[in-house]
Amino acid sequence: MKWSLAIHGGAGIIEREDMSPKRETEYRNGLLDALSVGEKILSKGGTSLNAVEASVRTLEDNPIFNAGRGAVFTEKKTIELDAAIMDGKTAKAGAVATVTRTKNPISLARAIMEQSNRLFLAGEGADDFSIAHGLEQVQPHYFHTELRLAQYEKWRAKQIDKLNKSHIMGTVGAVALDCDGNLAAATSTGGTTGKICGRIGDTPIIGAGTTAINGIAAVSCTGTGEYFIRESAARQICDRIKWNGQNIHSAAYDVIMAIGEIGGDGGLIAMDANGDVAFAINDMGMYRGWVADGRAAQTSIYPDDVLKSEGREARTTKEMH
Ligand code: ASP
């Protein structure tokens, strides 16, 4: 494959009976839009870095995903957004946490990577950097949606178990390989419903929720972030490939299982240096999609809904064993 692009829109308990056909179509169309934006860049010889940023921006702008517009609320009914991007070619990365006014946090992460000698900014300083570097600002109201407000109200009423679990998650991410053999990864999230203000998950932590290393792998994770941080999930996949001789599928499988063993839930997308993709999910569904040189875009939602490529991968890695 000359180029390849995989995306996710979050993992969760996603069951067919809870999903209306209309809602399913909205998710699939949202994924296809993001794939198409990235595909246009990669198929013309553009960089994987541009492709993952553009795909994630598209998902951030779509209110059905928990990133940018449509992000979940904190315990104080505010919005705090986290994002990270990594360029496998240069091994440079940029990350932001708890930003409140930037329309597209993934582009702020990229601006930090390219326009400062720092990697990770949080809170007010990140918001100030965003304004100073001309990133589009919005009023907090822009991020609000009825769906997330309803989730928040139920959470407030301590009825978390009554939430529609298929819509709790929704972190977005992309991994890509370009025609020059460069890998990149990007992830963006509103975090978890009712999170304590100031809480930062795995998404913006390089090596936990996001990483890209040329010649090895690009990874983007979603799920209960604290567990992905404790397992250094994204980096662990790279290290298993580099030092343990594992392929992308067995490395992704082992890492998602390790997260499950300590009590974490979620999924991840991982792409190797040839553009081969592993979609690893621990007992859940994950909004996901894949497009590559010579292969039409495909989307998938449920755990048993396998993406096909010449009769093997890409698939939920749990099914491999
Ligand atoms: N991993 C994200 C976090 O912990 C949430 C998610 O992926 O749904 O902030």
Side-chain angles (χ1 to χ4, degrees):
M1 279 173 275
K2 282 197 250 160
W3 59 266
S4 181
L5 169 70
I7 61 172
H8 70 79
I13 300 165
I14 310 170
E15 277 157 13
R16 285 185 172 83
E17 52 271 27
D18 295 336
M19 179 77 77
S20 70
K22 180 171 172 276
R23 197 75 187 164
E24 179 167 338
T25 303
E26 279 170 8
Y27 276 113
R28 288 194 190 265
N29 287 345
L31 293 167
L32 286 171
D33 285 349
L35 286 172
S36 141
V37 164
E39 176 180 5
K40 282 196 186 96
I41 294 170
L42 292 166
S43 62
K44 287 185 193 134
T47 66
S48 51
L49 190 65
N50 284 343
V52 294
E53 183 193 5
S55 290
V56 166
R57 279 180 69 101
T58 305
L59 294 165
E60 284 177 338
D61 290 344
N62 187 330
I64 62 176
F65 297 104
N66 170 21
R69 183 151 182 255
V72 299
F73 288 94
T74 67
E75 59 174 356
K76 292 188 180 156
K77 216 172 171 179
T78 55
I79 298 285
E80 295 188 350
L81 306 167
D82 302 341
I85 192 162
M86 186 157 183
D87 182 5
K89 181 181 175 189
T90 58
K92 284 190 169 179
V96 286
T98 69
V99 293
T100 59
R101 294 190 296 267
T102 303
K103 179 169 175 274
N104 291 106
I106 199 64
S107 297
L108 176 55
R110 183 165 180 181
I112 292 166
M113 175 174 86
E114 292 177 339
Q115 296 172 48
S116 80
N117 58 356
R118 303 298 176 194
L119 189 151
F120 194 175
L121 298 181
E124 215 177 309
D127 279 331
D128 290 348
F129 183 96
S130 183
I131 295 165
H133 286 77
L135 282 119
E136 186 175 352
Q137 306 295 302
V138 289
Q139 292 301 319
H141 188 71
Y142 163 83
F143 298 111
H144 298 182
T145 56
E146 288 303 317
L147 174 72
R148 301 302 178 191
L149 198 58
Q151 280 179 356
Y152 172 80
E153 297 301 350
K154 284 189 183 151
W155 172 83
R156 286 260 324 167
K158 303 262 183 286
Q159 291 179 315
I160 192 83
D161 54 320
K162 293 198 182 138
L163 295 184
N164 181 339
K165 298 208 172 40
S166 63
H167 304 145
I168 288 181
M169 309 270 189
T171 290
V172 305
V175 292
L177 172 78
D178 63 29
C179 295
D180 295 320
N182 296 313
L183 288 166
T187 318
S188 182
T189 190
T192 52
T193 299
K195 68 185 181 182
I196 300 170
C197 290
R199 176 267 186 188
I200 299 169
D202 60 317
T203 299
I205 298 181
I206 299 301
T210 309
T211 219
I213 304 176
N214 260 18
I216 310 281
V219 184
S220 173
C221 303
T222 173
T224 47
E226 284 72 9
Y227 299 87
F228 286 75
I229 297 171
R230 285 162 60 190
E231 282 294 331
S232 301
R235 180 67 195 217
Q236 193 188 134
I237 289 179
C238 295
D239 287 347
R240 283 178 176 277
I241 294 169
K242 182 162 181 184
W243 304 111
N244 216 20
Q246 291 184 241
N247 67 31
I248 195 80
H249 307 293
S250 80
Y253 174 86
D254 283 350
V255 169
I256 206 70
M257 289 300 132
I259 287 163
E261 269 164 35
I262 60 168
D265 287 324
L268 58 87
I269 54 175
M271 181 175 287
D272 71 11
N274 299 314
D276 202 359
V277 195
F279 295 90
I281 312 169
N282 78 13
D283 278 335
M284 308 180 107
M286 179 164 70
Y287 303 104
R288 56 202 190 274
W290 184 48
V291 64
D293 180 32
R295 284 155 216 259
Q298 305 171 59
T299 63
S300 182
I301 295 177
Y302 307 103
D304 58 350
D305 183 12
V306 173
L307 289 172
K308 302 226 170 32
S309 105
E310 290 176 352
R312 60 176 214 104
E313 231 3 59
R315 59 194 300 175
T316 58
T317 50
K318 200 171 174 191
E319 294 161 24
M320 295 176 62
H321 289 244

